[in-house]
Amino acid sequence: MDSEKPIIPQNGDDAAASQLGSGDELRLSRCRRCEHHDPPRGKLSCYDWMADIPGAADSCDMVEVQFKNTRKGFFLNSLHIPLEIGDTVAVEASPGHDIGQITLTGPLVRRQMKRANVKANAEVRRVLRKARPADLERFEEAKAKENDTMIRSRKIAADLKLNMKIGDVEYQGDGNKAIFYYIADERVDFRQLIKVLAETFKVRVEMKQIGARQEAGRIGGIGPCGRPLCCASWMTNFVSVGTAAARFQDISLNPQKLAGQCAKLKCCLNFEVDAYVESIKHLPPKDIRLETADNTYYHFKYDVFNRTVTYSTDKSVPANLVTLTADRAFEVIAMNKAGEKPLTLLPESEANATEKKPYADLLGQDSIARFDNAKKKKKRKPKSKQPKEGADAPQPTQPQGQQRQKSDENRSASKNAKNRQERRPQKNGSDRQRKPDRNSAETSGERNGNGNQRREERRQQPQSQKQKNDQ
């Protein structure tokens, strides 16, 4: 590693170099993949963790080459051409040559061949050369015809009344061969189709069948979980998925929810089914009935995570449901085998606790720890004092303006009452006097004098009556 020369920063690395000290040597590790071609495509990429080891790329003559879609191949670099990841090369094909891109070099290629189940005695093709400008120009011309070829081939298959769908077409690098990818649920006799396609497009035709899951992985998309499809991101091997996986996980058998974008059962149903199968082994079987003194209970459902089982008194309808732990269910099964029948399925402690409760505590109001939670103190509003009853009750306080207004009203009311009394006529019509003027001082004095005179007359009247009675 010490023999390597420091990489001089270029373009965007100038800012990073300026931040370092003037006497320090700059060593920037760059990924050769990022310099030469596009970012990796999910499962098609393989991280070369041995790329920094000196001489690792020259230790193996095999290279991995990627073509369109998910097609890959392993080729022998017999001419010892200096190749790096991202180089476009021309490789040997039958007939002619093909154009691809190198995705892996070095000793990791052997591991990838073993993973792809490439046999040791299989035919190995060679890398001819690095792609020339003429090769690339011819390759681009062939790629431009792929879309029109796919549309026309679909019409030809429909005219021949073949139950198949042509999903994609891939031309070879030299344009002498075309691979037609198709999907079919049944076996299809496409011998006549190959003849028509060869005469129409003047190329050698190869038919390659793919499954619905491979087609979905080729197209890509977003699953109902919000993540990219597994078949488009990392899955390489497709295993058949059955409805038994949904039954073990206690999932409703709704085909609209269980099917993926490929119209097949979702591959993720197989991810956790082994854990469910292993957990169900530690639960009571479904076909065993639990006998009690008053009822017979049948299996209704189980909770794998909590290790609980729910039993019902009816086989098909949920009635009188009782949820037990797995250990308690095994105890009842052992008691039934011994000829004993418990009074209830629940243990005695739980049964007594349920009998003492006269009501169901839905909100946790009778919990002992309900005051342990720290709650924010709410500001209390001042309560209005209610007036006391009786004579000693204090009068409600009122603003000064209102008190003055009421006092003025009381005074005016008393004056009006006095004026009414003065205006009342005498019994004798002759004693009536003219109404005096209130504004003059003389009339006010006369009014006061008349009032005193009337009071004296009232006092003297009872005495005169008594004298008359005595006589």
Side-chain angles (χ1 to χ4, degrees):
M1 297 295 291
D2 296 335
S3 61
E4 293 183 357
K5 295 180 180 180
I7 301 175
I8 300 175
Q10 298 176 359
N11 300 333
D13 297 335
D14 294 339
S18 62
Q19 296 177 2
L20 298 176
S22 59
D24 298 335
E25 291 185 356
L26 180 62
R27 291 180 180 271
L28 299 176
S29 58
R30 278 187 167 184
C31 176
R32 289 178 293 175
R33 178 186 298 277
C34 302
E35 293 179 356
H36 293 284
H37 66 91
D38 298 334
R41 293 176 53 194
K43 63 183 179 182
L44 299 180
S45 65
C46 179
Y47 178 71
D48 190 2
W49 52 272
M50 299 181 67
D52 296 336
I53 300 176
D58 301 332
S59 61
C60 181
D61 294 335
M62 299 297 296
V63 293
E64 184 187 64
V65 181
Q66 177 182 319
F67 303 96
K68 186 182 178 182
N69 296 332
T70 59
R71 188 165 68 94
K72 278 188 176 183
F74 301 95
F75 297 88
L76 177 64
N77 186 10
S78 59
L79 301 177
H80 300 286
I81 303 171
L83 300 175
E84 294 182 355
I85 296 175
D87 292 341
T88 304
V89 294
V91 298
E92 187 179 3
S94 59
H97 67 273
D98 202 353
I99 302 297
Q101 195 175 49
I102 292 180
T103 55
L104 190 63
T105 59
L108 291 182
V109 179
R110 296 290 183 184
R111 293 180 176 270
Q112 288 293 97
M113 293 175 66
K114 185 177 180 180
R115 183 183 178 187
N117 296 325
V118 177
K119 297 180 181 179
N121 56 356
E123 181 184 359
V124 179
R125 295 177 181 175
R126 299 178 295 111
V127 177
L128 300 179
R129 60 184 179 274
K130 286 188 177 181
R132 300 168 184 172
D135 298 333
L136 295 177
E137 184 178 357
R138 192 173 181 182
F139 178 55
E140 294 296 332
E141 292 177 358
K143 285 177 63 178
K145 299 186 294 184
E146 290 178 352
N147 191 23
D148 294 338
T149 304
M150 180 184 65
I151 295 173
R152 293 178 61 186
S153 62
R154 286 180 178 178
K155 293 180 180 179
I156 294 172
D159 294 339
L160 295 176
K161 297 181 180 180
L162 298 177
N163 188 16
M164 60 183 294
K165 175 190 174 182
I166 298 176
D168 196 9
V169 177
E170 179 185 358
Y171 269 91
Q172 197 170 271
D174 55 2
N176 295 328
K177 180 182 175 181
I179 302 174
F180 292 82
Y181 297 93
Y182 72 96
I183 305 171
D185 297 333
E186 302 174 354
R187 294 189 63 181
V188 180
D189 185 8
F190 46 77
R191 289 176 292 181
Q192 183 64 25
L193 177 64
I194 292 175
K195 293 179 181 179
V196 177
L197 293 177
E199 292 176 358
T200 304
F201 303 110
K202 309 297 180 184
V203 292
R204 185 173 179 179
V205 178
E206 179 182 351
M207 303 297 296
K208 190 172 183 180
Q209 185 176 3
I210 59 175
R213 293 186 174 91
Q214 293 175 339
E215 177 72 7
R218 186 187 66 82
I219 297 173
I222 303 297
C225 58
R227 297 176 59 87
L229 297 178
C230 298
C231 53
S233 57
W234 60 272
M235 284 189 68
T236 55
N237 298 326
F238 298 97
V239 183
S240 61
V241 185
T243 55
R247 291 192 182 94
F248 278 116
Q249 300 177 58
D250 200 13
I251 301 175
S252 62
L253 300 179
N254 187 353
Q256 295 180 354
K257 293 184 178 180
L258 296 181
Q261 295 186 5
C262 57
K264 304 291 184 180
L265 292 177
K266 294 178 182 177
C267 298
C268 56
L269 292 175
N270 283 344
F271 294 169
E272 299 179 357
V273 65
D274 295 336
Y276 276 88
V277 171
E278 187 66 23
S279 300
I280 290 172
K281 292 180 181 178
H282 302 285
L283 296 175
K286 293 182 178 181
D287 55 349
I288 292 182
R289 298 176 297 178
L290 302 185
E291 300 286 344
T292 59
D294 53 353
N295 273 322
T296 301
Y297 290 87
Y298 302 91
H299 180 274
F300 181 69
K301 66 177 182 179
Y302 47 68
D303 189 348
V304 175
F305 302 103
N306 296 325
R307 293 192 73 247
T308 58
V309 190
T310 303
Y311 288 91
S312 172
T313 55
D314 196 337
K315 288 184 178 181
S316 56
V317 180
N320 303 323
L321 298 178
V322 179
T323 302
L324 307 175
T325 61
D327 298 334
R328 174 61 180 172
F330 283 119
E331 291 179 6
V332 176
I333 292 172
M335 294 172 66
N336 291 337
K337 288 183 179 179
E340 300 177 3
K341 292 184 179 181
L343 297 177
T344 59
L345 289 182
L346 295 174
E348 294 181 359
S349 59
E350 296 183 9
N352 295 333
T354 54
E355 289 177 0
K356 290 180 181 179
K357 285 188 177 182
Y359 61 91
D361 181 22
L362 300 178
L363 302 178
Q365 294 178 354
D366 59 347
S367 176
I368 299 176
R370 65 182 182 274
F371 297 112
D372 296 343
N373 298 330
K375 296 182 179 179
K376 295 182 180 179
K377 295 183 178 180
K378 297 182 179 179
K379 294 183 180 179
R380 296 183 178 179
K381 297 180 179 179
K383 296 182 179 179
S384 59
K385 295 182 179 180
Q386 297 180 357
K388 297 181 180 179
E389 296 179 358
D392 298 335
Q395 297 295 331
T397 59
Q398 294 180 353
Q400 295 180 358
Q402 294 182 3
Q403 291 179 358
R404 292 175 182 174
Q405 185 177 2
K406 287 189 175 182
S407 61
D408 295 340
E409 291 177 357
N410 294 332
R411 290 173 185 172
S412 61
S414 61
K415 288 181 181 179
N416 293 333
K418 290 179 181 179
N419 295 334
R420 288 171 188 165
Q421 290 178 0
E422 294 174 356
R423 291 176 185 174
R424 286 179 182 175
Q426 298 285 337
K427 290 184 179 180
N428 252 335
S430 61
D431 295 339
R432 288 183 183 177
Q433 296 179 0
R434 184 176 58 84
K435 184 177 180 181
D437 188 5
R438 295 181 181 179
N439 297 329
S440 61
E442 297 177 358
T443 55
S444 62
E446 292 176 358
R447 186 168 60 249
N448 293 332
N450 296 332
N452 295 331
Q453 187 177 359
R454 289 173 185 168
R455 291 193 191 104
E456 291 177 359
E457 291 177 355
R458 290 175 184 172
R459 291 174 185 172
Q460 293 175 2
Q461 282 180 1
Q463 293 178 1
S464 59
Q465 290 178 2
K466 288 181 180 179
Q467 292 175 3
K468 291 179 179 179
N469 294 329
D470 294 336
Q471 291 177 1

